[in-house]
Amino acid sequence: MNFREWALIAFTIFAQMSVGAFLILGVVHYYASKKAGPEEADRLSDRALIAIGITLGLGMLASLFHLGSPLSAPRAVSNLATSWLSREILAGVIFALLGVTFAAMQWFKLSSIRNRNIVAWATSLVGLALIYSMARVYMLPTQPAWNTLATPLAFFVTTLLLGSMALAAAFVANYAYVQIKNPGCADTQCELLHGVLKGISVAGIVLMAIELIILPLNMGYLASGSPAALNSVRLMAGTFGTLQALRLVLVFIGAGVFGIFLYISAEETGKESLMGYLAYSAFALVFVAEVLGRMIFYASHQG
């Protein structure tokens, strides 16, 4: 793979992770607000916005390298009527602008909660549009391995799986910070952390299962298709079979096995350190697995 292809992998992975993290953060904030009040919910979730912003920034930077030159960006959005690539870029820019706006409003408590929620909902909807546009860019008749329902399904699963695993790690790090800076609120934050990590563990296991189902179904569908589709299957299962197997093992251990242990640990108090190790390890394994999956996705390109 050349540098521009690696830039494309970085853009899609980081952009999807940031969108997924933002979506799940909204659910977590709602849960925490109902359980412990808005102030404790903000204490749990506000710092995660910084990590999401950094992640999206890395993705947008990688997209510029893929375009070849930052000066190419304005021309890339000049064909919105017919080009999914133009829509993808525009959605990415709007998502970034809305995300920064919401983060500033939330961090500095600007405007009312209602107005902040409106901006958050708008950001989430644009994020979903970004992922859908990203998937449609690759659904080309000349690329049978990409031109199936598996492409948008896989992109959305990656979005939610990476986002949830990243947030689990972020919440553990935030709890360690809260304990140092403000021990008086650590008990409430500890209770919220346990509840949130249990929910994320279940979500990760379900998403992992969906991902493991999508792959064989898609390969079976392609194997009965055109010669070009069959050649893509040979690449995915033969040439890149070892990487494919490694990817599946990593996502199974990260989201599945570690997810189960994380859930069990979150059932009891006093295991916050173990929860931290599990959350960090699960995120690392799933992140590597998704990078490998994206490499194989681009390697199945025909022509």
Side-chain angles (χ1 to χ4, degrees):
M1 283 190 166
N2 59 39
F3 179 76
R4 291 182 66 180
E5 288 174 323
W6 277 109
L8 188 55
I9 291 173
F11 165 63
T12 56
I13 289 290
F14 283 130
Q16 289 169 17
M17 181 164 61
S18 62
V19 171
F22 190 88
L23 293 170
I24 294 167
L25 186 64
V27 176
V28 168
H29 191 275
Y30 177 81
Y31 159 82
S33 295
K34 292 296 184 182
K35 190 173 183 64
E39 289 187 6
E40 292 294 343
D42 290 348
R43 189 173 285 116
L44 172 72
S45 62
D46 278 0
R47 292 182 187 88
L49 289 169
I50 299 174
I52 293 173
I54 293 172
T55 301
L56 181 61
L58 291 172
M60 298 301 286
L61 181 63
S63 71
L64 294 179
F65 284 110
H66 173 65
L67 289 172
S69 169
L71 298 177
S72 302
R75 294 195 298 271
V77 296
S78 61
N79 196 16
L80 290 173
T82 58
S83 172
W84 282 105
L85 178 60
S86 294
R87 296 164 189 164
E88 173 198 57
I89 295 171
L90 181 62
V93 172
I94 295 175
F95 177 76
L97 292 175
L98 286 175
V100 169
T101 301
F102 172 75
M105 293 174 69
Q106 181 67 16
W107 190 265
F108 297 107
K109 301 301 179 279
L110 303 176
S111 192
S112 64
I113 294 178
R114 178 178 178 274
N115 289 338
R116 295 203 296 270
N117 286 338
I118 291 173
V119 176
W121 273 105
T123 307
S124 299
L125 291 174
V126 174
L128 291 173
L130 169 60
I131 303 305
Y132 181 71
S133 299
M134 193 180 293
R136 288 302 303 267
V137 166
Y138 299 101
M139 297 180 70
L140 305 170
T142 56
Q143 299 298 328
W146 297 349
N147 194 32
T148 70
L149 185 60
T151 295
L153 286 176
F155 275 29
F156 276 108
V157 169
T158 295
T159 295
L160 296 175
L161 183 57
L162 270 180
S164 61
M165 295 296 103
L167 276 187
F171 289 142
V172 168
N174 179 72
Y175 177 71
Y177 177 86
V178 166
Q179 276 192 310
I180 295 171
K181 292 294 183 179
N182 192 2
C185 71
D187 289 344
T188 301
Q189 287 294 303
C190 182
E191 183 180 356
L192 289 175
L193 178 68
H194 280 253
V196 167
L197 290 187
K198 285 170 63 177
I200 287 178
S201 298
V202 173
I205 292 169
V206 171
L207 290 165
M208 176 272 298
I210 294 173
E211 188 165 83
L212 295 184
I213 291 171
I214 290 173
L215 178 63
L217 289 179
N218 187 49
M219 291 180 68
Y221 171 77
L222 293 174
S224 62
S226 66
L230 184 57
N231 189 49
S232 292
V233 173
R234 293 193 182 101
L235 287 172
M236 290 186 282
T239 306
F240 299 100
T242 301
L243 285 180
Q244 191 77 267
L246 177 60
R247 171 212 170 192
L248 297 179
V249 168
L250 291 177
V251 77
F252 178 77
I253 294 175
V257 177
F258 284 6
I260 292 172
F261 284 122
L262 184 59
Y263 185 93
I264 293 172
S265 300
E267 290 264 73
E268 304 177 31
T269 57
K271 293 189 174 182
E272 287 73 37
S273 294
L274 176 60
M275 287 161 55
Y277 291 127
L278 289 170
Y280 294 140
S281 300
F283 169 63
L285 292 178
V286 170
F287 181 82
V288 173
E290 294 304 321
V291 171
L292 290 176
R294 198 54 48 83
M295 288 172 56
I296 297 168
F297 175 82
Y298 288 118
S300 65
H301 175 273
Q302 295 292 304

